[in-house]
């Protein structure tokens, strides 16, 4: 078996990201929210540590959304017909994204809330 070059691997990974963004509505919603959060963070001139927290949180949500897409595609391939275990796998994957997205809202409020409050009411 021939190994793939590093550049081909990056190209395949980029194709996966492109596919998810192009086909998954929720991924586009997450990216839109991430852009808004990034703009607000820049406006507030947050600390470098806070940028790191936001970057990790945004990356985790997007990675979870991609993982959800992977699970849905693999389940559909393995079980094209309706099956209770397929439903459980898909629902649990979607639930993981929901949990992480909800947690990211809390992180965003904790990171951006105090400087936004100070900017608005000082």
């Amino acid at each position: 078996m021939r190994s793939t070059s590093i550049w081909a691997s990056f190209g395949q990974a980029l194709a996966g990201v492109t596919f998810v963004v192009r086909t998954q509505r929720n991924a586009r919603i997450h990216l839109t929210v991430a852009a808004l959060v990034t703009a607000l963070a820049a406006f507030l001139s947050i600390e470098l540590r806070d940028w790191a927290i936001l970057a990790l949180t945004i990356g985790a949500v997007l990675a979870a959304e991609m993982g959800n897409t992977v699970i849905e595609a693999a389940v559909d391939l393995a079980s094209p017909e309706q099956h209770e275990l397929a439903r459980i796998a898909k629902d649990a994957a979607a639930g993981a994204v929901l949990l992480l997205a909800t947690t990211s809202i809390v992180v965003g409020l904790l990171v951006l809330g105090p400087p936004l409050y100070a900017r608005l009411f000082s």
Side-chain angles (χ1 to χ4, degrees):
M1 186 166 125
R2 189 170 177 226
S3 69
T4 306
S5 76
I6 189 75
W7 298 113
S9 295
F10 280 126
Q12 292 161 351
L14 185 57
V17 171
T18 301
F19 174 82
V20 170
V21 171
R22 190 172 34 85
T23 64
Q24 303 300 308
R25 179 193 69 220
N26 288 346
R28 292 189 299 276
I29 292 170
H30 293 309
L31 281 172
T32 301
V33 171
L36 293 172
V37 165
T38 300
L40 180 59
F43 171 75
L44 295 172
S45 300
I46 64 171
E47 299 290 327
L48 189 59
R49 179 200 68 233
D50 292 335
W51 275 111
I53 292 167
L54 290 179
L56 284 168
T57 303
I58 290 167
V61 170
L62 294 173
E65 186 63 47
M66 291 187 71
N68 183 47
T69 301
V70 168
I71 290 168
E72 287 181 354
V75 166
D76 287 347
L77 178 64
S79 180
E81 66 283 342
Q82 296 286 331
H83 193 283
E84 181 65 10
L85 292 175
R87 184 193 62 76
I88 290 169
K90 288 178 159 189
D91 288 354
V97 176
L98 178 62
L99 179 62
L100 190 53
T102 303
T103 303
S104 75
I105 293 169
V106 174
V107 170
L109 290 171
L110 291 171
V111 170
L112 299 175
L116 181 59
Y117 183 86
R119 176 79 58 121
L120 293 175
F121 300 108
S122 293

